[in-house]
Amino acid sequence: MEKGGDARRRTACELPKGIGMHCLNLYVQNPIENWRYKEFLIYLGVFLAIAKLGGSSVSNDLIDIKDFFQLVVVPELQSEDINAFSYVKTSAMSFTMLVNELTKSIKLPLLSCILKLLASESNMVHSYAARCIENLLIIKDDDTRAIIRRSCEEEPNSISVFESSVFPSLQKITDDNLSELFPYVFKLFSQLVDLNGPQQLVDLMDATHEGLFQKAMEAF
């Protein structure tokens, strides 16, 4: 027979799961009308993740943080439409910044997606994107290089894919004179130089985005 305490704990686990599934189903049925349910779901995930890490009595069964991140949060960051569902995108970036259980090796591959959000028409979205980029890059250069290098060793084509997705965003930063992001642009340059060699990187940048390297140097 189930004891009263166990029953209450099981109910406490099932309730947020049920609410989350209900919100996700409503969003999937009609994203345009029901985007607030997705926003609520992501912030519910933030609350449960922080409660879990805070050592409270909340059960570990409430949320699998990594699965939740991949299934619920990442699709919003990878969306091709950078101007759609701005509140949902900012909630996704909040989750990325606030949930400490997500390691840099999990979050850093999303850097190119978040860089694209700097071009969003929404001031809120590109402001959050700037903060999220800062959050992702506040790690030791050696750690960043190790993460990127390991990814490139596992998938050799990932260097060119990463560069092709990052360069347009770097162009946006230099063209719009987003000075608060300049230190992080230099950090990205240093990591790409480490992978390519300095002259090869300059040639590649000028071939794909003419004058980008020179513009960046002038901006600094």
Side-chain angles (χ1 to χ4, degrees), residues 111 115 118 130 133-134 137-138 141 144-145 162 166-193 201 205 212-220:
L111 179 60
L115 278 165
L118 291 170
I133 291 166
E134 181 177 5
L137 293 179
I138 298 179
D141 285 344
T144 309
R145 287 189 176 94
F162 179 75
V166 165
F167 286 166
S169 299
L170 298 183
Q171 183 89 55
K172 174 72 174 176
I173 291 171
T174 56
D175 288 349
D176 292 358
N177 198 30
L178 300 175
S179 58
E180 68 274 16
L181 295 178
F182 287 172
Y184 306 109
V185 172
F186 258 140
K187 181 173 284 191
L188 278 173
F189 280 164
S190 70
Q191 290 154 15
L192 291 172
V193 165
L201 177 62
M205 290 172 68
L212 174 56
F213 184 80
Q214 184 61 37
K215 287 182 180 179
M217 297 306 296
E218 290 173 357
F220 291 102

Side-chain angles (χ1 to χ4, degrees), residues 138-155:
I138 298 179
I139 51 177
K140 295 179 180 178
D141 285 344
D142 289 344
D143 293 339
T144 309
R145 287 189 176 94
I147 292 168
I148 294 176
R149 185 173 293 281
R150 184 167 61 250
S151 298
C152 294
E153 288 174 352
E154 293 172 356
E155 180 52 62

Side-chain angles (χ1 to χ4, degrees), residues 69-138:
F69 182 66
Q70 294 295 336
L71 296 175
V72 178
V73 177
V74 169
E76 300 303 329
L77 299 176
Q78 293 178 332
S79 171
E80 292 297 323
D81 190 345
I82 62 174
N83 295 312
F85 307 121
S86 57
Y87 283 93
V88 179
K89 283 183 171 58
T90 54
S91 66
M93 286 186 280
S94 293
F95 189 98
T96 304
M97 289 186 284
L98 293 174
V99 178
N100 293 327
E101 187 169 319
L102 296 172
T103 63
K104 294 294 183 182
S105 61
I106 293 175
K107 296 190 289 186
L108 200 58
L110 292 167
L111 179 60
S112 59
C113 299
I114 298 170
L115 278 165
K116 291 179 182 178
L117 295 176
L118 291 170
S120 172
E121 296 173 354
S122 167
N123 289 334
M124 178 176 63
V125 169
H126 60 65
S127 294
Y128 266 77
R131 290 169 56 189
C132 196
I133 291 166
E134 181 177 5
N135 177 270
L136 289 176
L137 293 179
I138 298 179

